[in-house]
Every structure is written in C-alpha cells, then in structure tokens.
Amino acid sequence: MRADEGLQAYCGKDVLPMAFNELIKNFDNIRQLMRDFYVFGFKSRADFADKSARSYDNERRRIESWLGEYMYFRQNAGGKNCFISVDSRKIKHNPFYKALKAKSFTANDIMLHFFLLDILQAGVKLSLRELMARLDEDYLYCFAEQMTLDISTLRKKLAEYEQLGLVTTEKCGRELYYQRSSEMVDLAAWQDAVSFFAETNQLGVVGSFIEDKLPAAGEVFSYKHHYLLHALESDVLLDLLAAMEQKQAVRIESCTSKGRSLSLRVLPLKIYVSTQSGRRYVLCWYFKAQRIIFCRLDNLEGVLEAEPAPDYDRLYALAEQLEQKLWGVSLKSKAAQPALEHVELVVRIRAEEPYILQCLEREKRCGRVEKLDAGRYCFTADVHDAGELLPWLRTFIGRIERFSCSNKAVEEKFWQDLAAVCALYGVEKAGEA
C-alpha cells in the first residue's frame, strides 16, 4: 500500500460512508444536548424544533455511540423522553469523558502527527527548514497527487506540540531546533494513582487520557459519591483556573434554565464544590453590578476575552472577607456588602452522646459552639442567607431546645417544617416529641 493510500483509508476516504461522524469539532452543541436531553431527561424530540431532523438524529446517534449502555427511554403524553441512568457505585470509569476524546481532525493534522514523530527519532535535532525539506523529499513525494505544505502550518503544529510537551526546542545561533521530548515516565508505577485521580479530581479527564495509555488492570476503587457530570465542564473549569492564575478578567457565556443566553464580564476568584451534590460554582466579581456573584459551572458555555485585571488583589481580599460568613453559595442581597442574618440554636446533648457535639463542631461551616451548662450547647452564626442552614439544622431534631433567627421568615419555616413532621408521626406539639 502506498503512503497516500494508507492515509486516505485512515481518514475515511476509501471506506464505506457512516450514517454519522462520531468526531466533533465544537463541543458546546454536544454539551448542551447531553445536559438538556439525556442528563436531565425531561425533554422529548418535540422540544428541539429549532434543530433539523438530520442534525438532531446525527447528534443523538453520536451520543448513543458513547453512552448507549446507560441510555433508557420513557414514554409519556409529551412523547418519548431519553435519559441516562447509572449506578455511580458500580461505574469505575466516567463515561462522559468519551465525549471529550472525540475531537475531529483534518487530513493534514493526522498526516503531520505521524510524519513528524517519524522524522524526530531519538537523538534527532532539526531546524524548521530542515524539517520542511525532509517532509518534501522523503514523505510528500509519495502521494499520487502533488501535496504542498506551508511552512507556517508546520511552525504552528510544532508550537502546539511544544506546548503539549511532545517536542522540545533549543536555540542555536539564530536557528530554533526541534527534537522529540526525552522525558520518560513509568506510567505503570502510577496506575492506581492515575485511576483515582481520573474519577475524583476536578480535572479528572487528564487522568482518563493517561489511563488510556496503560494496560487494563483490576479495579481497586469503588465510589459511594461519584459525580460524573463534572466531565462536561472540564474545558470551562480549565479556562477559569487559567484566568485565576493569571489574575485576568473574562467574559463568560451562560445559559439560563429557560434557554436564554447571558454574557457577563467577571473576574473569577474562587471555585466552590458542593459536598452534597458535587455541583460546582465560580465566585466572581461582576463588573456591571459592582458586586460578588456565584455562577454554576454547568450553566457556562464558554470563557472568553481574558485580559489583566489591575484591581485583582483588592477584590480577592473582599471575596475572602465575604466567604467568612458564607454557608452555601446564596447571596440574597444585591449590595456590594450584603447584610447578615443572625442564627441561634440551643441543643441538649446527653453525656453518652459525645458524637453529637463532634458533629456540631465538625460540620459547622462558620459560627461558633459554646457550652451553656451540663448537657446544653449553643450554636450561633451570622450568615448571608440563614435559609441555607435549615437542612443541616434539621439533622438535630429531637435535641433542639430553642431556635431563633433574625430573619423571621426562616424561623417560621423551621417551626412549620417541625410541626409537619410531628403531625406526620401523630404528635400534636413539637414539645411532646
């Protein structure tokens, strides 16, 4: 087989046409479809009237090729709903990483990849012009149809490979010489660490790419809480982290629950991860409103137009001051310096229940615990949104002696919920529990 025949077969020109192309150029469209249609599972085909039947079917089959074993269907009055159902305790590898590994490439991309790595054998060091000459003389001449390659294309490809760590450069006089990277890592020795990183780290997709290079091995980890949807936000998170490291302001493209698009100029300051749902947020300074806001990463479509932010240190210090009074990610007030709500909780803890006091101390995110007398403890906190404490406070029901809040709506909500629980169990008054 001639070199050109092999290349054409690899690029799919001499094989039977497929019904759809599994590779993608733009991840944003796939990410939105996977969220709205397959992940949340509440939309039917009729909800995608803005897409042509062909586009819809191609994207659906593309996702099915990655996630087919986890896909299910539910028929209702609105039509057939597709959704993904997984048992996170049984899944050892995040299936959503497959979508991030399906980037399309051109014939020149794949051609240059193999040609360059073939030329740059161990110990070979060549300049840009020498590489160009070798390509022309030893490789491109093999094609039946004359192929031309621009030197600027080769320079860009080498710069990309240098950034990826595939090649290194060395300046000799006025010439820049390229050679294959000689860094060798014993990946097998890191197999368990890479496997754990891939499923637990915020950018675990990096570990998943490395894991693909390792031989199959027995699974040593199982996860009680396995947050799979992180994979769909990996590129957005990486761009936010890069902006934070460089102290840059960015424009974020966000999609609301109603399908509207928002464009906000912000300064990303910190990333927050929920210990309950795994959902991720970015705390940022919103320039237009002149205040701090939280944005959910699963609503972000892109991070664009990064530029230096001279006031970064001052705004970061403001964020650190604000987070001292945060319980979750809710900032009810739209003021630059939001008002605080005061919470007091008195609980009774028997001598044989020291673990209750440990929970009170360990689980509080802010505030303080003080001993009133034998068996009575008081938790107090000043927070931005007292309503966020309610789920945690309810875990102490049965031991609560007194609860008060400066936000009376929150206090009433707490007692109403407690009364509803008592009624459910046939207790007329909370004090009789």
Side-chain angles (χ1 to χ4, degrees):
M1 179 184 289
R2 298 198 319 270
D4 59 329
E5 292 175 338
L7 178 64
Q8 288 176 354
Y10 191 91
C11 294
K13 295 181 180 179
D14 291 338
V15 296
L16 293 175
M18 298 176 65
F20 71 99
N21 183 3
E22 186 176 343
L23 302 178
I24 55 176
K25 184 175 182 179
N26 189 339
F27 185 66
D28 292 343
N29 293 335
I30 288 295
R31 171 168 45 207
Q32 191 61 45
L33 189 66
M34 291 174 80
R35 287 175 183 166
D36 288 348
F37 193 28
Y38 292 96
V39 177
F40 301 129
F42 59 81
K43 287 192 175 182
S44 66
R45 173 64 184 91
D47 295 309
F48 292 89
D50 57 324
K51 289 183 177 293
S52 69
R54 181 175 180 180
S55 296
Y56 168 82
D57 289 336
N58 283 343
E59 290 177 351
R60 176 180 55 80
R61 288 197 293 265
R62 183 180 289 119
I63 295 174
E64 285 179 357
S65 70
W66 303 325
L67 305 172
E69 60 185 302
Y70 308 110
M71 288 178 55
Y72 297 86
F73 306 91
R74 180 189 299 116
Q75 191 74 34
N76 56 33
K80 185 171 71 172
N81 287 14
C82 304
F83 62 96
I84 291 173
S85 178
V86 297
D87 185 342
S88 61
R89 297 168 300 176
K90 296 180 180 179
I91 287 188
K92 306 302 181 182
H93 302 281
N94 191 329
F96 291 100
Y97 289 150
K98 294 179 183 179
L100 291 165
K101 299 174 184 177
K103 183 176 177 58
S104 64
F105 53 84
T106 66
N108 279 347
D109 286 331
I110 198 68
M111 176 186 71
L112 276 177
H113 177 79
F114 288 107
F115 287 177
L116 286 175
L117 295 184
D118 188 46
I119 294 172
L120 294 175
Q121 298 289 339
V124 176
K125 185 191 303 181
L126 298 172
S127 68
L128 180 65
R129 295 188 181 280
E130 289 171 339
L131 275 169
M132 192 71 206
R134 285 285 305 274
L135 283 169
D136 284 335
E137 295 170 7
D138 299 339
Y139 294 86
L140 299 183
Y141 85 95
C142 297
F143 289 86
E145 296 181 8
Q146 184 178 2
M147 294 191 65
T148 59
L149 185 66
D150 189 85
I151 195 169
S152 63
T153 301
L154 179 59
R155 183 186 292 109
K156 291 176 182 177
K157 180 59 67 175
L158 288 167
E160 177 187 343
Y161 280 15
E162 182 184 9
Q163 186 177 14
L164 293 172
L166 297 177
V167 301
T168 59
T169 58
E170 181 182 343
K171 193 72 174 289
C172 297
R174 300 180 62 181
E175 289 281 359
L176 191 64
Y177 285 81
Y178 299 87
Q179 61 184 339
R180 191 190 294 192
S181 176
S182 59
E183 293 183 8
M184 299 298 293
V185 179
D186 182 11
L187 291 178
W190 292 86
Q191 185 145 19
D192 289 346
V194 168
S195 177
F196 184 74
F197 178 93
E199 304 305 322
T200 60
N201 191 267
Q202 300 303 314
L203 287 172
V205 65
V206 177
S208 181
F209 272 99
I210 297 175
E211 209 170 9
D212 291 342
K213 300 179 180 295
L214 298 171
E219 304 295 344
V220 296
F221 299 107
S222 183
Y223 306 94
K224 181 179 180 181
H225 302 293
H226 202 171
Y227 302 121
L228 303 176
L229 300 186
H230 284 175
L232 302 181
E233 311 155 9
S234 297
D235 56 336
V236 170
L237 176 62
L238 182 60
D239 289 339
L240 287 171
L241 292 175
M244 290 162 59
E245 182 182 22
Q246 300 297 323
K247 299 183 178 181
Q248 294 176 324
V250 296
R251 180 169 61 84
I252 56 175
E253 299 287 344
S254 177
C255 181
T256 68
S257 58
K258 297 182 179 180
R260 295 188 298 110
S261 295
L262 299 176
S263 180
L264 309 175
R265 191 70 182 171
V266 301
L267 177 64
L269 299 168
K270 292 195 175 188
I271 302 294
Y272 284 74
V273 183
S274 170
T275 57
Q276 294 175 309
S277 66
R279 183 170 287 156
R280 301 186 292 193
Y281 302 82
V282 56
L283 179 151
C284 48
W285 178 260
Y286 181 23
F287 288 100
K288 183 176 180 180
Q290 288 294 293
R291 64 185 180 93
I292 287 177
I293 62 172
F294 279 94
C295 295
R296 278 172 48 177
L297 260 62
D298 58 356
N299 285 338
L300 300 187
E301 299 297 335
V303 180
L304 311 167
E305 300 174 8
E307 60 182 26
D311 214 16
Y312 181 91
D313 292 336
R314 181 184 69 84
L315 296 175
Y316 186 86
L318 181 62
E320 285 197 313
Q321 179 184 354
L322 180 140
E323 74 173 348
Q324 299 304 313
K325 304 297 182 182
L326 275 176
W327 190 267
V329 293
S330 174
L331 293 171
K332 294 175 62 177
S333 172
K334 295 185 178 181
Q337 295 286 350
L340 300 176
E341 298 175 349
H342 184 72
V343 172
E344 288 190 10
L345 179 75
V346 176
V347 296
R348 288 188 175 274
I349 302 175
R350 295 194 294 268
E352 64 271 21
E353 297 178 325
Y355 56 89
I356 300 298
L357 179 59
Q358 292 172 6
C359 288
L360 197 62
E361 290 280 10
R362 186 180 64 247
E363 296 175 0
K364 65 179 178 62
R365 303 173 190 176
C366 58
R368 65 184 185 275
V369 177
E370 295 178 320
K371 185 175 182 178
L372 300 179
D373 51 46
R376 294 174 70 245
Y377 294 84
C378 180
F379 165 74
T380 59
D382 294 296
V383 295
H384 294 289
D385 185 356
E388 290 191 304
L389 278 78
L390 291 180
W392 178 68
L393 296 177
R394 294 189 192 107
T395 64
F396 296 97
I397 285 179
R399 297 177 175 86
I400 297 174
E401 180 181 285
R402 177 166 53 86
F403 170 72
S404 63
C405 179
S406 60
N407 184 339
K408 295 307 175 185
V410 172
E411 186 174 335
E412 290 175 7
K413 172 65 174 172
F414 176 84
W415 293 117
Q416 287 172 1
D417 290 345
L418 184 57
V421 171
C422 291
L424 183 65
Y425 287 95
V427 180
E428 294 184 2
K429 296 182 180 178
E432 298 175 4

